Amino acid sequence: MTKKTSYKIATLGSHTALQILKGAHDEGFKTICICRKDNADFYKSYKFVDEIILVDNWTSFFKIEDRLIKENAILIPHGSFVSYIKPENVEKIKVMHYGTKGILEWESDRRKERKWLQMAKINTPKIYEKPEDIDRPVIVKFHGALGGKGYFIANNPKEFHERIKEYPNEKDYALQEYVVGVPLYIHYFHSSLTGELEIMSFDKRYESNADSIGRIAAKDQLDVKIRTSYTITGNMPLVVRESLLPEMYEMGKRVVEASKKLVGKGLFGPFCLETIVDPDLKFYVFEISARIVAGTNPYINGSPYTWLKYDVPMSTGRRIALEIKRAIKAGKLEKILG
Ligand code: ADP
């Protein structure tokens, strides 16, 4: 462990907090975990958590913000943080915040996200404006559906109108071409200090019940009218065909370049392209996450790809802390705060 700095690293106790705080500790920072009463004991049980700040619920984050400011804390956003405090409140954060706040708006709005991907010349699944246009299998995604619960597949307009009856209150949905292939999530890190892009790791999701339907014979699936849902329950580590790496690297570079035209300092730090790869090895990107994703959690001890670059186990959480440490040392903290 290296010398402690006066800056502290803080995050919400959820999602990727363990690797963020462990990584911060390993890079010499004191750590703060913002917890609810019901999960505080769990986070306290780890020695690398130096301080716990309790909140009644996640939405009361702003009540403890002054304390974070006094503590000289740098806040690391993660997926749960953004969804708990809501993307529209991110701009109100006053404490030092790692990453560009404005970019979170571009990832959380499907239309904006699509524009971003198109600017970056990234292949995306086709989007249908209205159900009558459905001419191939589509996945119907409800806005704000947590972790893919309740999505359904429709092959044509008739099927869509049949199935949508089960969701009378859902008016806001996207009709996206259903790509038959394998899901592959690419985890990147872009350094705004050096301009370099790194591939950190990959994961595939373990989704209930999509990942267990194959255990039941097709006839039984039909007989008991099983509906597919994509509720995320965990993440599985993955390595990819090495020949795919250069293309993925270029995709990441283009996404970063395009982001600079969208908002201020653009996208930097950890991000993820969520893809489906078809049998012709064509990538279809259906989502960008402009911050650390939970799929990096299998790699708290580093991934095969980070091992190629670092002599220490480098998780994405630790990579964030390393970047902050380098920025502090170079007197360029403003480059990585947003
Ligand atoms: P997230 O849960 O990361 O927000 P989505 O909600 O967009 O991701 O999608 C949930 C799951 O649905 C994905 O992990 C993937 O398995 C599947 N999926 C999403 N979009 C498509 C698509 N266009 N084609 C095939 N499968 C898809």
Side-chain angles (χ1 to χ4, degrees):
M1 217 185 47
T2 47
K3 204 173 136 269
K4 295 268 174 227
T5 82
S6 67
Y7 291 92
K8 295 181 180 179
I9 300 285
T11 199
L12 286 199
S14 184
H15 196 263
T16 38
L18 291 174
Q19 60 158 307
I20 290 172
L21 300 177
K22 168 80 166 76
H25 170 85
D26 289 344
E27 290 299 329
F29 291 95
K30 285 268 183 201
T31 63
I32 302 175
C33 191
I34 304 150
C35 290
R36 287 187 327 227
K37 253 201 193 102
D38 60 346
N39 65 4
D41 281 350
F42 170 72
Y43 283 98
K44 255 187 226 163
S45 74
Y46 293 97
K47 285 205 181 74
F48 55 80
V49 178
D50 295 307
E51 206 179 317
I52 298 271
I53 298 183
L54 285 179
V55 287
D56 293 336
N57 51 54
W58 297 130
T59 45
S60 41
F61 165 79
F62 288 101
K63 291 191 191 150
I64 58 101
E65 199 183 15
D66 279 345
R67 182 162 162 202
L68 290 178
I69 294 171
K70 274 197 204 102
E71 300 246 24
N72 210 23
I74 299 173
L75 180 71
I76 314 295
H78 54 50
S80 302
F81 178 77
V82 178
S83 81
Y84 292 147
I85 82 153
K86 305 269 178 281
E88 61 272 23
N89 288 325
V90 170
E91 288 292 345
K92 296 182 194 149
I93 296 171
K94 293 196 295 288
V95 63
M96 285 182 278
H97 170 278
Y98 175 72
T100 303
K101 286 177 197 153
I103 204 74
L104 296 170
E105 197 190 313
W106 282 84
E107 64 136 47
S108 59
D109 178 318
R110 279 208 185 96
R111 284 202 169 80
K112 287 188 158 180
E113 182 181 58
R114 201 169 167 75
K115 190 172 163 203
W116 178 5
L117 288 169
Q118 280 166 351
M119 278 170 65
K121 303 213 172 354
I122 299 286
N123 186 45
T124 54
K126 188 173 155 74
I127 293 287
Y128 292 83
E129 290 303 325
K130 45 186 199 307
E132 282 59 41
D133 297 340
I134 299 174
D135 60 355
R136 67 189 82 175
V138 297
I139 179 164
V140 183
K141 296 183 173 186
F142 297 114
H143 186 69
L146 273 187
K149 196 171 182 191
Y151 291 176
F152 68 85
I153 312 284
N155 288 295
N156 49 49
K158 188 166 166 275
E159 252 180 49
F160 170 85
H161 289 298
E162 249 338 282
R163 293 286 314 270
I164 197 75
K165 284 184 196 152
E166 292 170 31
Y167 306 88
N169 299 322
E170 296 284 359
K171 302 278 173 256
D172 192 6
Y173 50 77
L175 305 172
Q176 201 177 79
E177 169 188 10
Y178 185 85
V179 183
V180 182
V182 290
L184 182 58
Y185 294 69
I186 316 168
H187 316 146
Y188 300 91
F189 188 94
H190 172 65
S191 168
S192 50
L193 297 175
T194 64
E196 232 181 281
L197 180 73
E198 295 162 50
I199 287 188
M200 300 299 287
S201 45
F202 301 93
D203 79 294
K204 64 179 234 170
R205 310 262 148 119
Y206 195 42
E207 293 164 338
S208 187
N209 57 13
D211 287 313
S212 65
I213 283 178
R215 294 160 60 109
I216 305 165
K219 181 180 178 305
D220 297 333
Q221 293 175 24
L222 293 173
D223 286 351
V224 293
K225 294 200 173 64
I226 287 182
R227 300 286 195 222
T228 316
S229 67
Y230 299 86
T231 307
I232 181 84
T233 62
N235 305 81
M236 293 180 277
L238 202 72
V239 287
V240 301
R241 286 173 67 154
E242 190 159 320
S243 59
L244 295 176
L245 290 173
E247 184 180 351
M248 293 174 169
Y249 193 68
E250 291 306 314
M251 283 161 57
K253 280 203 318 206
R254 294 204 302 273
V255 165
V256 170
E257 274 319 303
S259 74
K260 291 181 187 155
K261 293 180 200 127
L262 301 177
V263 45
K265 297 173 196 166
L267 173 69
F268 59 85
F271 69 100
C272 172
L273 292 183
E274 308 188 359
T275 79
I276 307 279
V277 189
D278 80 3
D280 297 323
L281 298 179
K282 190 168 176 185
F283 287 93
Y284 291 79
V285 175
F286 62 91
E287 205 160 297
I288 304 184
S289 291
R291 32 84 198 157
I292 186 168
V293 289
T296 59
N297 278 337
Y299 305 107
I300 292 188
N301 210 27
S303 79
Y305 302 95
T306 61
W307 191 237
L308 296 167
K309 287 217 161 222
Y310 298 94
D311 295 326
V312 292
M314 186 58 66
S315 69
T316 293
R318 184 168 181 177
R319 182 66 188 84
I320 294 172
L322 177 64
E323 188 79 351
I324 295 174
K325 198 164 92 175
R326 286 177 175 166
I328 294 168
K329 209 168 158 202
K332 291 183 176 165
L333 201 50
E334 82 292 341
K335 275 201 124 171
I336 60 158
L337 301 177

